[in-house]
Amino acid sequence: ITFHEITRPAIREALDNPRQVDDQLVRAQETRRILDRLYGYSLSPVLWKKVRTKLSAGRVQSVALRLVVEREEERQRFQSTEYWDVVAQLHAKGGDFAATLAAIGERRLASGKDFDPTTGALDPASGAVVLGREEAESIAEAVTRHSWRVSRIEKKEVRQRPLPPFTTSTLQQAASSRLHMSPKQTMAVAQRLYEGIDLGGGEREGLITYMRTDSVNLADKALHDAAALIRQRWGASYHNEHRYKTKSKVAQEAHEAIRPTEIARAPDQEKAFLSREELALYTLVWQRTVASQMADAILDRTTVELTVEPDAVPHLFRASGSILRFPGFMEVWGGDREDTLLPPLSEGEELGPAAGAGGRITGALPERHDTRPPGRYTEASLIKKLEEEGIGRPSTYTPTLSTIQDRGYVLKKGEALVPTYVGMAVIHLLREHFPQYVDIKFTARMEDALDDIARGEADWIDFLSRFYWGESAAEAEADHHKKGLVQRIEEAMPRIEYPAIEVGHDPETGQPITVRIGRSSVYVQRGEGGGGEGETKTADRATLPVDLLIDELTIEKVLELLHHRSRGEEPLGHDPQTGAPVYVRIGPYGPYAQLGETSDGERPKRVSLPRGMKPTEVDLAYALRLLSLPRTVGIDPESGKPVTAGIGRFGPYVERGGRYQNVKSVDEVFSISLHDALARLAQKGKTAIKELGPHPDSGGELRVMAGRYGPYVTDGKLNASLPRGADPEAMTLEEAVALLAEKGKPPGSGKGRRGRGGARAPAAKKAATKKPARAKKG
């Protein structure tokens, strides 16, 4: 049976019209699955041998990684260009507004769109003129002494259509931009909304339809329910039925768009059942679905041109704005930007400069701009790009993003995705030796072949054989493109060298500087070498810190690392107790102090330097103090386990039985008491919003914590929830003491049943707020 929407009529119709299993569709699905395994199982071993073990290649993940790497390469090639314009603050009867210089005589001034987005240089074909600073300052001073005349007014009606309801990718993009949720987080919350809330008696009711879909189609019932709701709430003029069609050729459309199962169920009716995250995402889905069936928004766009003539040379300024005449779908979804409102103006009207603070005339001012490199992909924008290129499926987007991050190919810097050196090395190798398999259109071509198999126009075994083994030897010899994956790998392996990422050249010696991938770390190398151990002098290599990304690796930074590496070969001195040499060196996780040398395969004792401390700031006495760590603080009276304090990869910490908790500073590592260390360990896994200081009675450290069910205050022994609506950042010591005095219980400790992900409520309150039982859905 086949159904594309989970509604009672659709399922009943499917049950009434069963059909035979389509063997051709089954073969196409199996072909896709086997194709992915042939791809991954064949190319991954190449990466193990030539880059590093435990890496992987994949039909979708490798193309996704290529997009991230090539965007970073575009940013590295980009040369920022400076350009200036002049902005005038003008006064009219209806208010002040701003206008920007657009042309001087017949010369049009350059704006952002006139620069090449990939290089940052001015496009010669634009014919625009770039203003420098001095010329912009001169123009600003000259035009301020004159009056502006309104030379032209153009008004135009603009209609904005609502966006279609959500697919998987557009939901992830909207949740990222509006709610700051990652795709992984979005899908986890959407899964809970799909599974639904607990109605009691073993009944559950889903709040949204299936969340893995590439279709924008809505069921007839949803269209009818949306129409009824819109007409009731906003009136008939706000309703306009839209039936959307998916543009992508490779969309499967196995399910309808993501929508509320009952559109009449508004978000404010679900507050008692949902957590904050769930309510926010449900509200987004509800708003997008309702807005998709509403009328267009109507705006009046106005463009005003103003002329001022210093030295008899006409200078054209331009201002634009808009007025919302009819909100339509914006009543629910909102606008994408704030529109500028212009005061009423008429052609020929004379205007003067606006007055600033204290009545001072501001007039026109020069304004600098710099062209910016293309922005890095975020998780949401990468998903959008993959969807546009027909790469992957709704169910694969989140796993793909997780894979390229889990493998260490990509790191997140804020919300941006930045390739690591390992990720760049992988793409350099695949792009140089196996370009056809990481080609952006490779997946699209495969999808065409799979469609042929689904239609019975191609044999699946023949397709997989040609992909893997290639054509006959004679055909493959005559046409390189007819060689299979196995043949290409066999031919390429002898030619593949260890990948090197070029950084530049040493300004003094002219030697090339490259980044290479080691077995356990990444290092920078000055001079020639194939990447094998021992091919260059030790002093010409330095390990790169794991948090030093490609955009921060300048020639100056490389030379600094090489200098520290050379300096680290000389000991600061010797330990008076053991006589062992003491070094300060830089490793993958930053600078560290080391006692002694490697002996019989045993690594010498190492302790990280405090965050922000440079190797040059460490003397022998301080290094020995660090090497005395970890120190034993005492014995936990309850467990009998020792409590220690030290400095690790993630900073200063206290530890007991393998459980770690960070402390504020390195000084605290040397001074913390057993009582305070145990109090810190009691907070393991919880996030402090604000430190308030010691409790005046118990002495325990008072903190405002972020709990699963909301913020609360604690002294390490007793917890008290903050009142509803209270700002945790504004909590004072006195307020926290008062809350604890009332003996507040830990959040979520109240008894009573709760819905999926929702906050618990006392049974009496739950009974009072429970809604009438809803009918089960088919």
Side-chain angles (χ1 to χ4, degrees), residues 394-428:
S395 58
T396 65
Y397 295 140
T398 300
T400 297
L401 291 175
S402 295
T403 298
I404 62 176
Q405 293 178 67
D406 294 344
R407 297 288 183 188
Y409 296 155
V410 169
L411 292 175
K412 287 183 73 173
K413 190 175 183 179
E415 293 189 354
L417 298 175
V418 186
T420 64
Y421 302 106
V422 173
M424 297 186 77
V426 166
I427 290 303
H428 286 184

Side-chain angles (χ1 to χ4, degrees), residues 24-339:
Q24 294 170 352
L25 286 177
V26 175
R27 296 291 87 76
Q29 183 272 332
E30 289 182 341
T31 303
R32 176 181 284 106
R33 178 169 56 84
I34 296 170
L35 177 69
D36 288 343
R37 280 154 180 75
L38 292 176
Y39 185 110
Y41 293 166
S42 300
L43 287 174
S44 295
V46 177
L47 303 181
W48 303 344
K49 295 174 183 177
K50 296 297 183 178
V51 184
R52 181 184 285 178
T53 58
K54 299 182 180 179
L55 300 181
S56 68
R59 186 168 63 97
V60 175
Q61 77 177 54
S62 295
V63 176
L65 177 60
R66 177 176 181 170
L67 290 171
V68 176
V69 169
E70 292 188 343
R71 177 60 57 88
E72 195 67 27
E73 291 172 341
E74 288 177 24
R75 291 173 59 84
Q76 289 179 306
R77 292 191 297 268
F78 191 88
Q79 297 294 322
S80 182
T81 302
E82 175 187 315
Y83 67 100
W84 290 73
D85 60 23
V86 180
V87 179
Q89 297 294 332
L90 303 177
H91 175 71
K93 293 180 181 179
D96 298 344
F97 66 99
T100 302
L101 181 63
I104 303 173
E106 299 297 322
R107 299 186 304 162
R108 184 177 68 84
L109 260 62
S111 60
K113 64 183 179 181
D114 295 308
F115 294 87
D116 189 320
T118 59
T119 65
L122 180 69
D123 184 355
S126 69
V129 177
V130 176
L131 280 187
R133 176 176 180 173
E134 292 183 1
E135 189 176 3
E137 290 176 343
S138 175
I139 292 171
E141 183 180 354
V143 298
T144 300
R145 298 194 299 266
H146 294 72
S147 60
W148 280 260
R149 176 175 52 85
V150 179
S151 54
R152 179 170 171 264
I153 299 176
E154 182 184 70
K155 292 184 178 180
K156 183 170 61 174
E157 180 183 290
V158 176
R159 303 179 74 92
Q160 287 189 9
R161 292 196 66 188
L163 295 168
F166 283 131
T167 61
T168 300
S169 65
T170 55
L171 174 64
Q172 292 171 345
Q173 293 162 41
S176 175
S177 61
R178 292 200 171 202
L179 306 179
H180 304 290
M181 286 186 181
S182 69
K184 186 174 183 179
Q185 183 184 15
T186 298
M187 295 309 290
V189 176
Q191 179 73 40
R192 297 202 297 268
L193 293 174
Y194 171 68
E195 292 173 1
I197 57 176
D198 188 351
L199 299 177
E203 295 183 21
R204 301 189 69 81
E205 184 169 13
L207 295 180
I208 64 171
T209 55
Y210 193 55
M211 64 286 169
R212 292 184 178 89
T213 177
D214 50 19
S215 172
V216 291
N217 180 58
L218 289 176
D220 289 338
K221 180 182 183 303
L223 296 173
H224 178 271
D225 291 350
L229 176 75
I230 294 166
R231 289 172 177 271
Q232 178 187 358
R233 282 202 177 189
W234 296 283
S237 62
Y238 279 82
H239 175 246
N240 186 12
E241 182 178 298
H242 296 281
R243 292 181 181 266
Y244 299 91
K245 293 184 178 180
T246 306
K247 295 180 180 179
S248 173
K249 291 192 307 179
V250 298
Q252 292 178 315
E253 299 190 89
H255 303 278
E256 63 172 321
I258 304 169
R259 64 168 176 87
T261 52
E262 293 291 343
I263 293 177
R265 187 187 296 143
D268 57 2
Q269 297 174 349
E270 304 302 324
K271 289 182 178 179
F273 298 98
L274 301 178
S275 69
R276 184 170 58 182
E277 282 181 335
E278 292 165 349
L279 180 62
L281 194 65
Y282 179 73
T283 300
L284 200 67
V285 172
W286 186 88
Q287 289 175 337
R288 181 69 164 249
T289 304
V290 173
S292 73
Q293 298 305 308
M294 295 180 75
D296 297 350
I298 303 175
L299 301 93
D300 277 340
R301 289 271 167 84
T302 303
T303 301
V304 179
E305 293 183 352
L306 307 104
T307 303
V308 59
E309 299 186 0
D311 302 324
V313 178
H315 288 58
L316 180 69
F317 284 73
R318 186 174 289 125
S320 60
S322 59
I323 297 175
L324 185 64
R325 283 178 45 202
F326 177 68
F329 75 92
M330 288 186 180
E331 190 75 21
V332 173
W333 186 246
D336 292 332
R337 62 182 177 84
E338 294 184 3
D339 291 306

Side-chain angles (χ1 to χ4, degrees), residues 42 48 72 168 277 350 353 369 384 426 489 493 500 505 638 730:
S42 300
W48 303 344
E72 195 67 27
T168 300
E277 282 181 335
E350 297 282 334
H369 302 277
K384 182 179 180 181
V426 166
I489 291 174
M493 281 301 288
H505 292 80
E638 292 186 8

Side-chain angles (χ1 to χ4, degrees), residues 438-454:
V438 287
D439 181 66
I440 304 298
K441 300 300 181 184
F442 172 76
T443 297
R445 291 197 298 270
M446 292 297 100
E447 294 299 336
D448 290 340
L450 293 167
D451 287 342
D452 291 341
I453 294 170

